[in-house]
């Protein structure tokens, strides 16, 4: 930010073209009105760049379109389908790898500990069993923390980061190969280490990384991996495949391809409004997303079923987490999965789940703030020590709670004879995971059964266990798990939140079912249904998802009749939680200071216009600019796009004398104006819109004239009759922060937008011409050459440009986007917001009625905090 020249917003120090924020102290932010609540202090913010989702339709791109025929179009579609299929298969294989080693390490750990506990229960050496369990857990967690030190962005579930990426914000390192490796290895160690985390959430991040990297056929981590693959070389294409990878990750985690598709639309995509009157708008298309999800699901299902059952092709295990079949016992004639009367209980559970979720999010937010202030600024070793502390406390609590709080309950007859009454599609009967720790024969420890099993097995216990769990055990388990899961989410290990939330909510639901059965006497209640509804209520209260989560749970249960109660519960939980705070992912996005755009603006924001929120202080380039000016602009600013403009001033004919550069720019401006006006004249007889009604007669005279020089003078008089002369500054001089306000805001005719990466590419490849030559002699670059360095374009500060003559001229007009989206200064903010968000823009020029650029709108200008600040200024001026 130090090199940014006069182009930072006066309120929040946000670069108008690059979308990057300069860090301010909390005191400064309070003065600027960005702190709404006293306890909700603004934390230090990092600089984030935006992504270029808008298509740049320049001359190289048009040349590609001209050569595109039906054969090439079909080939492109075939390649896209093949890439989508490959993303799904690779994501499924990643899930298989994680699941295999998590099972391996977990079975090893629990096998050793169980043997030790059984022996030491009689010998009185339970402390040794605790030390063995601590040894396993601390070792695994230590390895997971080390992997996060290698790639810090691998911590957490990755869903907030993926959501930011799809919203148009570039989070550094989010889709790198090194991130994938650290994420995959780290999550299997953290889950095997006994932390209250899940492996399903990180699968979404892993699928997104696969989707981002596989179509590129290259890696920054392994620089030798590089193939000449000419397709999908833009942020726009990468976004689509990242969305497909996220859908594949959900599908592999839950065996829910439809739910994965909806998750990618609801939670990830920036281009789907949740209102009922809007439909998804994703370039890749829903069929591609669904196909990718299906590929991931069946790849994982095929290999898991073959490995665990030895029956290849049986497809018995669709996802990493399977809820099994919900079915009442044949001996219980009064049992029903759910009845109409139960809907009232489900609504109440939804309200309680929303309250619990809001409490969870509030506590976790405070913990995250504490970590950002007191843990993260310290040496990285402190983060490892915090992870080890969490692991130590969790292990001790689990062991002591199982020994002290667990109740020895009599096994049911079905448990003793192994009756498979529920027909579960899992590798073994649920009752085989019952733990008899610290209990005599023919009894089991209900607390140990929940704590000393993998979390997926504990969920199945709560959903399908034929035995019972005492209310005290369920309440104690819920409280302990709630607090430890809240503390764990945010430590420096890869961690998911789906399974911990489901397990915590299932305990809550099972507790409700026990109370209704034992104390109210409702004998028709099926405990598994209430456990499922409790899991949905708590998970919905934490993450605030509705449609996609409903479909995910329905697909996981394989029971369509649960659709209505799950949907009602999730909606009530979301409404209740939203009354207090945001979802957990949105909270962590906000804590990172990411300029995430909401679904829509508030109604009162329409009191503002584009001119109220735009950045008027611009850094621009001319159609023909010397190399020394371009290098100076690129090295002294951090903007990622520059308007291409020409100046409107008097006496241009005098400037043209003896200066080829100025002459080329003025000729380009006049030819551009005449061309556009002539085209509009052909479309309509009214010439009121661009650039002025007077041009209609001018165009008629220009077409019939045989003396263009005189008519150019007449055109110049009409265009500039209202402008006063300005200082003699033109393309030989770069924009300077020493300019006066009159110089800085002089009229500029807008011709297009060019990206920093495009300018750097032109300089690297020597695209220029000398002053003694015509611009037609400048070398031309193809679309493939312009995108060859994507996504790692050279840095202007690392380039050796000594071989280039600084007096050479670059014609940027063939490579600029001549027709970007623009808005009028009088456009309402809601219209600006909808256009910016729906089209996935990074820069939105504000152009007046005569074709002059008066400002530019970026992502920051549309964030809720910025709009609120401008609205307060608006009220003060009334």
């Amino acid at each position: 930010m130090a090199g940014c020249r006069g182009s930072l917003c006066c309120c929040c120090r946000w670069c108008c073209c690059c979308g990057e924020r300069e860090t301010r102290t909390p005191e400064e932010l309070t003065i600027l009105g960005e702190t709404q609540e006293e306890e909700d202090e603004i934390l230090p913010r990092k600089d984030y760049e935006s992504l270029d989702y808008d298509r740049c339709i320049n001359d190289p791109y048009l040349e590609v379109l001209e050569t595109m025929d039906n054969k090439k179009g079909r080939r492109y579609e075939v390649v896209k389908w093949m890439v989508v299929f490959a993303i799904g298969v690779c994501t499924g294989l990643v899930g298989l790898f994680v699941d295999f080693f998590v099972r391996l390490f977990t079975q090893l750990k629990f096998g050793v500990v169980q043997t030790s506990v059984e022996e030491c229960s009689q010998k009185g050496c339970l402390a040794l069993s605790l030390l063995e369990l601590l040894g396993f857990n601390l070792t695994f967690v230590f390895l997971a923390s080390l992997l996060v030190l290698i790639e810090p962005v691998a911590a957490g579930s990755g869903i907030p980061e993926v959501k930011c990426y799809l919203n148009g914000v570039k989070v550094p390192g989010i889709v790198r190969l090194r991130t994938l490796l650290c994420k995959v290895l780290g999550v299997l160690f953290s889950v095997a280490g006994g932390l209250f985390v899940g492996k399903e959430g990180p699968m979404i991040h892993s699928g997104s990384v696969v989707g981002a990297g596989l179509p590129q056929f290259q890696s920054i981590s392994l620089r030798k991996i590089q193939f000449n693959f000419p397709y999908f070389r833009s942020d726009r294409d990468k976004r689509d495949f990242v969305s497909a990878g996220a859908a594949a990750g959900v599908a592999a985690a839950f065996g829910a391809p439809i739910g994965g598709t909806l998750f990618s639309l609801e939670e990830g995509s920036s281009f789907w409004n949740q209102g009922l009157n809007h439909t998804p708008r994703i370039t890749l298309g829903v069929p591609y997303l669904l196909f990718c999800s299906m590929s991931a699901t069946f790849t994982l299902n095929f290999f898991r079923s073959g490995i665990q059952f030895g029956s290849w092709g049986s497809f018995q295990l669709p996802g990493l987490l399977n809820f099994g079949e919900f079915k009442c016992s044949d001996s219980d004639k009064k049992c029903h999965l759910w009845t109409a009367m139960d809907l009232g209980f489900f609504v109440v559970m939804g309200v309680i789940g929303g309250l619990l979720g809001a409490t969870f999010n509030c506590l976790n937010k405070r913990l995250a703030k504490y970590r950002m202030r007191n843990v993260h600024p310290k040496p990285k070793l402190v983060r490892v020590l915090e992870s080890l502390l969490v692991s130590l406390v969790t292990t001790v609590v689990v062991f002591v709670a199982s020994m002290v709080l667990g109740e020895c309950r009599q096994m049911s007859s079905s448990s003793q004879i192994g009756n498979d009454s529920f027909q579960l599609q899992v590798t073994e009967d649920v009752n085989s995971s019952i733990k008899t720790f610290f209990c005599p024969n023919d009894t089991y420890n209900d607390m140990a059964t929940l704590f000393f099993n993998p979390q997926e097995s504990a969920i199945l216990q709560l959903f399908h266990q034929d035995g019972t769990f005492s209310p005290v055990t369920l309440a104690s388990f819920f409280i302990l798990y709630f607090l430890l899961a809240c503390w764990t989410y945010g430590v420096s290990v890869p961690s998911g939140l789906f399974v911990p939330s489901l397990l915590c909510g299932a305990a809550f639901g099972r507790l409700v079912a026990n109370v209704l059965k034992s104390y109210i006497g409702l004998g028709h209640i099926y405990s598994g249904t209430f456990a499922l509804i409790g899991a949905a209520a708590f998970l919905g209260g934490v993450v605030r998802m509705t449609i996609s989560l409903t479909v995910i749970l329905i697909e996981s249960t394989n029971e369509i009749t649960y659709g209505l109660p799950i949907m009602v519960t999730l909606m009530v939980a979301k409404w209740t939680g939203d009354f207090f705070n945001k979802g957990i992912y949105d909270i962590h996005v906000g804590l990172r200071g990411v300029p995430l755009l909401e679904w829509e603006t508030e109604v009162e924001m329409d009191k503002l216009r584009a001119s109220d929120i735009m950045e008027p202080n611009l850094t621009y380039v001319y159609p023909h600019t010397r190399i020394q000016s371009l290098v100076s602009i690129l090295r002294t600013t951090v903007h990622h796009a520059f308007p291409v403009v020409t100046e409107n001033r008097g006496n241009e004919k005098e400037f043209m004398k003896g200066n080829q550069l100025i002459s080329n720019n003025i000729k380009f401006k006049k030819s551009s104006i005449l061309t556009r006006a002539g085209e509009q004249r052909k479309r309509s007889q009214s010439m009121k819109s661009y650039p002025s009604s007077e041009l209609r007669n001018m165009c008629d005279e220009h077409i019939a004239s045989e003396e263009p020089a005189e008519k150019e003078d007449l055109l110049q008089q009409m265009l500039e009759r209202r402008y006063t002369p300005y200082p003699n500054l033109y393309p030989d001089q770069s924009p300077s922060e020493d300019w006066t306000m009159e110089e800085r805001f002089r009229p500029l005719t807008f011709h297009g937008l060019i990206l920093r990466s495009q300018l750097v590419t032109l300089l690297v490849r020597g695209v220029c011409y000398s002053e003694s030559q015509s611009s037609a002699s400048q070398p031309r670059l193809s679309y493939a050459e312009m995108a060859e360095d994507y996504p790692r374009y050279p840095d202007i500060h690392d380039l050796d440009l000594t071989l280039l003559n600084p007096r050479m001229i670059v014609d940027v007009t063939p490579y600029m986007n001549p027709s970007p989206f623009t808005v009028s200064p009088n456009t309402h903010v809601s219209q600006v917001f909808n256009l910016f968000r729906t089209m996935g823009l990074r820069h939105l020029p504000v152009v007046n009625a005569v074709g002059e650029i008066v400002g530019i709108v970026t992502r920051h200008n549309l964030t809720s905090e910025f709009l609120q600040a401008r609205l307060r200024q608006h009220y003060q001026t009334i």
Side-chain angles (χ1 to χ4, degrees):
M1 300 293 294
C4 190
R5 300 300 183 192
S7 50
L8 294 176
C9 171
C10 61
C11 289
C12 301
R13 304 291 290 174
W14 185 281
C15 292
C16 63
C17 290
C18 69
E20 296 185 355
R21 186 190 295 269
E22 182 184 43
T23 303
R24 282 186 181 268
T25 63
E27 291 77 13
E28 291 175 308
L29 293 170
T30 303
I31 293 174
L32 294 174
E34 292 190 9
T35 302
Q36 297 182 358
E37 299 179 7
E38 187 173 356
E39 70 272 8
D40 191 22
E41 298 179 2
I42 298 297
L43 300 173
R45 297 172 183 255
K46 300 180 180 178
D47 294 334
Y48 290 99
E49 298 179 9
S50 297
L51 295 168
D52 296 308
Y53 286 168
D54 188 22
R55 196 186 303 277
C56 181
I57 307 178
N58 51 16
D59 288 356
Y61 179 78
L62 294 177
E63 293 173 0
V64 173
L65 291 183
E66 291 176 358
T67 60
M68 182 71 68
D69 53 15
N70 291 334
K71 183 178 180 180
K72 291 184 178 179
R74 288 193 297 269
R75 182 192 306 168
Y76 181 83
E77 290 297 321
V78 170
V79 171
K80 183 180 290 187
W81 280 104
M82 292 175 61
V83 170
V84 168
F85 175 74
I87 292 172
V89 171
C90 292
T91 303
L93 293 176
V94 170
L96 177 69
F97 175 84
V98 172
D99 179 71
F100 178 81
F101 282 98
V102 166
R103 285 179 176 271
L104 179 64
F105 293 153
T106 303
Q107 290 174 1
L108 174 64
K109 179 184 71 174
F110 284 133
V112 172
V113 173
Q114 181 172 352
T115 303
S116 177
V117 169
E118 291 174 352
E119 294 178 354
C120 290
S121 296
Q122 301 175 354
K123 298 180 181 180
C125 57
L126 289 177
L128 179 61
S129 301
L130 176 59
L131 291 177
E132 291 179 352
L133 184 60
L134 281 172
F136 278 108
N137 288 347
L138 292 177
T139 300
F140 289 143
V141 172
F142 178 72
L143 294 175
S145 298
L146 290 183
L147 290 169
V148 170
L149 291 185
I150 298 175
E151 186 56 74
V153 78
S157 66
I159 295 178
E161 291 81 3
V162 172
K163 183 176 181 179
C164 293
Y165 187 93
L166 295 176
N167 194 267
V169 181
K170 183 179 180 181
V171 181
I174 185 66
V175 291
R176 292 178 59 179
L177 177 61
R178 186 169 66 180
T179 302
L180 175 64
L181 296 177
C182 294
K183 193 83 171 184
V184 170
L185 296 176
V187 72
L188 67 90
F189 284 128
S190 59
V191 173
L195 293 178
F196 292 166
V197 299
K199 57 181 180 291
E200 285 71 19
M203 276 299 303
I204 301 172
H205 187 190
S206 301
S208 300
V209 179
V210 173
L214 192 61
Q216 303 301 315
F217 286 91
Q218 57 179 318
S219 170
I220 191 174
S221 301
L222 301 175
R223 299 183 184 274
K224 292 184 178 180
I225 300 180
Q226 189 168 0
F227 299 93
N228 185 18
F229 190 70
Y231 302 98
F232 318 126
R233 310 291 294 170
S234 68
D235 288 339
R236 183 187 183 92
D237 295 323
K238 181 181 285 189
R239 171 207 63 194
D240 296 335
F241 290 117
V242 168
S243 181
V250 176
F254 296 96
I258 300 176
T261 302
L262 293 176
F263 175 86
S264 183
L265 297 176
E266 180 184 7
E267 190 68 18
S269 175
S270 301
F271 314 105
W272 184 26
N273 195 308
Q274 290 180 324
L276 296 178
N277 59 334
H278 293 270
T279 54
R281 183 188 183 279
I282 288 189
T283 307
L284 190 63
V286 174
Y288 291 98
L289 297 178
L290 184 59
F291 180 65
C292 187
S293 301
M294 289 286 188
S295 303
T297 300
F298 287 104
T299 298
L300 181 63
N301 197 343
F302 175 80
F303 285 102
R304 286 192 71 202
S305 301
I307 292 174
Q308 297 186 27
F309 289 103
S311 178
W312 296 91
S314 59
F315 297 105
Q316 301 180 46
L317 298 173
L320 300 180
L321 178 62
N322 301 286
F323 293 160
E325 181 182 356
F326 287 76
K327 182 180 178 182
C328 290
S329 175
D330 296 333
S331 60
D332 190 356
K333 302 301 182 182
K334 296 182 179 180
C335 175
H336 300 283
L337 291 183
W338 67 280
T339 63
M341 185 178 66
D342 295 335
L343 281 176
F345 296 116
F346 297 158
V347 171
V348 175
M349 292 175 66
V351 173
I352 298 175
L355 294 174
L356 293 173
T359 304
F360 184 95
N361 294 351
C362 180
L363 294 176
N364 188 262
K365 180 179 180 180
R366 293 182 179 275
L367 284 171
K369 285 185 174 183
Y370 178 82
R371 289 189 178 104
M372 296 179 71
R373 294 193 186 102
N374 302 285
V375 178
H376 294 175
K378 296 181 179 179
K380 294 182 178 180
L381 181 61
V382 177
R383 304 186 189 184
V384 178
L385 294 177
E386 183 198 16
S387 302
L388 293 177
L389 175 62
V390 173
S391 177
L392 174 65
V393 174
T394 301
T395 304
V396 173
V397 168
V398 166
F399 194 89
V400 174
S402 300
M403 184 171 59
V404 177
L405 300 179
E407 294 187 15
C408 296
R409 307 184 68 83
Q410 189 70 30
M411 290 185 180
S412 63
S413 58
S414 61
S415 299
Q416 298 179 44
I417 65 177
N419 180 24
D420 190 14
S421 61
F422 299 107
Q423 300 295 324
L424 295 177
Q425 297 178 358
V426 289
T427 58
E428 59 183 7
D429 188 20
V430 170
N431 295 320
S432 64
S433 59
I434 289 176
K435 301 300 180 182
T436 61
F437 291 175
F438 321 116
C439 290
N441 294 333
D442 297 333
T443 59
Y444 68 95
N445 188 322
D446 54 359
M447 185 71 79
T449 299
L450 296 177
F451 272 135
F452 278 88
N453 272 311
Q455 296 177 97
E456 292 81 2
S457 298
I459 292 175
L460 293 177
Q461 289 284 344
L462 294 170
F463 284 172
H464 304 294
Q465 175 57 261
D466 191 43
T468 58
F469 297 90
S470 70
V472 176
T473 297
L474 290 173
S476 302
F477 176 81
F478 173 79
I479 295 173
L480 294 175
Y481 206 95
F482 180 94
L483 296 175
L484 290 175
C486 184
W487 186 22
T488 304
Y489 189 73
V491 299
S492 296
V493 295
S495 58
L497 195 59
F498 275 95
V499 170
S501 299
L502 288 173
L503 180 53
C504 197
F508 157 67
R510 189 70 182 250
L511 176 62
V512 173
N514 283 9
V515 171
L516 294 178
K517 271 188 173 183
S518 303
Y519 299 98
I520 301 181
L522 300 179
H524 73 280
I525 285 179
Y526 178 53
S527 300
T529 297
F530 275 76
L532 175 65
I533 296 302
F538 187 78
L539 181 59
V542 172
V543 301
R544 312 291 165 77
M545 294 163 52
T546 53
I547 300 175
S548 60
L549 190 55
T550 300
V551 177
I552 289 172
L553 294 177
I554 292 175
E555 290 186 278
S556 298
T557 58
N558 231 356
E559 185 59 60
I560 190 62
T561 58
Y562 280 139
L564 178 61
I566 290 176
M567 187 66 186
V568 170
T569 304
L570 288 175
M571 292 297 296
V572 173
K574 173 179 168 57
W575 293 336
T576 304
D578 286 342
F579 184 79
F580 297 96
N581 50 35
K582 296 182 178 180
I584 189 68
Y585 300 135
D586 292 327
I587 286 176
H588 281 265
V589 168
L591 291 177
R592 288 173 171 82
V594 179
L596 194 72
L597 297 184
E598 302 293 339
W599 290 110
E600 57 187 1
T601 60
E602 299 178 4
V603 177
E604 62 178 350
M605 292 303 169
D606 268 342
K607 297 177 182 179
L608 301 176
R609 305 294 180 96
S611 57
D612 297 321
I613 65 171
M614 69 182 185
E615 171 55 50
N617 191 4
L618 303 175
T619 300
Y620 48 84
V621 298
Y622 299 99
H624 299 263
T625 308
R626 296 195 188 277
I627 288 180
Q628 64 180 8
S629 297
L630 286 181
V631 173
S632 175
I633 291 174
L634 293 173
R635 286 183 172 174
T636 57
T637 66
V638 292
H639 307 326
H640 285 260
F642 303 92
V644 181
V645 302
T646 51
E647 298 181 10
N648 294 329
R649 62 173 69 246
N651 303 321
E652 284 192 344
K653 191 172 182 180
E654 298 295 328
F655 288 112
M656 293 175 63
K657 294 181 179 179
N659 192 318
Q660 184 65 31
L661 175 61
I662 295 179
S663 178
N664 287 345
N665 280 303
I666 295 177
K667 289 179 179 179
F668 173 81
K669 180 188 70 173
K670 294 183 176 181
S671 65
S672 175
I673 293 175
L674 289 172
T675 300
R676 297 184 198 181
E679 291 176 352
Q680 187 166 354
R681 176 183 175 277
K682 295 177 183 179
R683 293 191 298 268
S684 173
Q685 295 300 317
S686 174
M687 294 298 297
K688 297 180 180 180
S689 59
Y690 182 89
S692 70
S693 59
E694 296 172 312
L695 268 181
R696 178 178 180 181
N697 296 331
M698 184 59 233
C699 290
D700 293 336
E701 295 175 6
H702 178 77
I703 294 174
S705 175
E706 296 181 356
E707 299 179 359
E710 296 180 3
K711 300 307 176 185
E712 286 181 0
D713 292 340
L714 180 60
L715 172 65
Q716 190 68 31
Q717 294 175 10
M718 287 188 296
L719 288 178
E720 300 174 356
R721 61 177 54 179
R722 60 189 179 88
Y723 300 141
T724 57
Y726 291 96
N728 185 7
L729 295 173
Y730 221 72
D732 281 334
Q733 300 188 27
S734 302
S736 171
E737 62 181 357
D738 298 328
W739 282 0
T740 64
M741 294 299 292
E742 184 183 55
E743 297 164 358
R744 191 176 297 280
F745 294 100
R746 57 182 175 275
L748 302 170
T749 300
F750 179 69
H751 298 286
L753 207 62
I754 190 164
L755 303 177
R756 167 182 286 267
S757 59
Q758 295 172 329
L759 292 177
V760 173
T761 300
L762 296 179
L763 294 175
V764 169
R765 297 184 178 273
V767 179
C768 56
Y769 67 96
S770 64
E771 194 167 359
S772 61
Q773 297 175 325
S774 170
S775 60
S777 62
Q778 176 176 274
R780 299 294 296 270
L781 296 183
S782 65
Y783 181 82
E785 291 173 325
M786 292 293 295
E788 183 177 350
D789 295 325
Y790 177 84
R792 293 175 290 277
Y793 292 103
D795 189 346
I796 187 65
H797 299 283
D798 299 333
L799 298 181
D800 184 10
L801 303 176
T802 56
L803 299 180
L804 293 178
N805 183 356
R807 302 294 297 174
M808 297 285 281
I809 303 173
V810 179
D811 180 9
V812 303
T813 56
Y815 308 100
M816 71 179 183
N817 184 359
S819 54
F821 291 98
T822 60
V823 292
S824 165
N826 294 323
T827 307
H828 290 279
V829 164
S830 62
Q831 296 173 299
V832 176
F833 185 91
N834 291 336
L835 175 64
F836 194 97
R837 193 182 194 282
T838 304
M839 302 311 299
L841 304 181
R842 184 176 183 179
H843 317 91
L844 185 58
V846 182
V847 181
N848 63 18
V850 294
E852 298 166 354
I853 184 169
V854 295
I856 195 166
V857 175
T858 62
R859 172 174 295 271
H860 163 69
N861 301 107
L862 296 172
T863 58
S864 177
E865 296 82 3
F866 185 87
L867 292 179
Q868 290 287 350
R870 288 303 172 94
L871 186 62
R872 287 192 291 269
Q873 294 180 8
H874 174 76
Y875 286 141
Q876 293 174 0
T877 57
I878 296 178

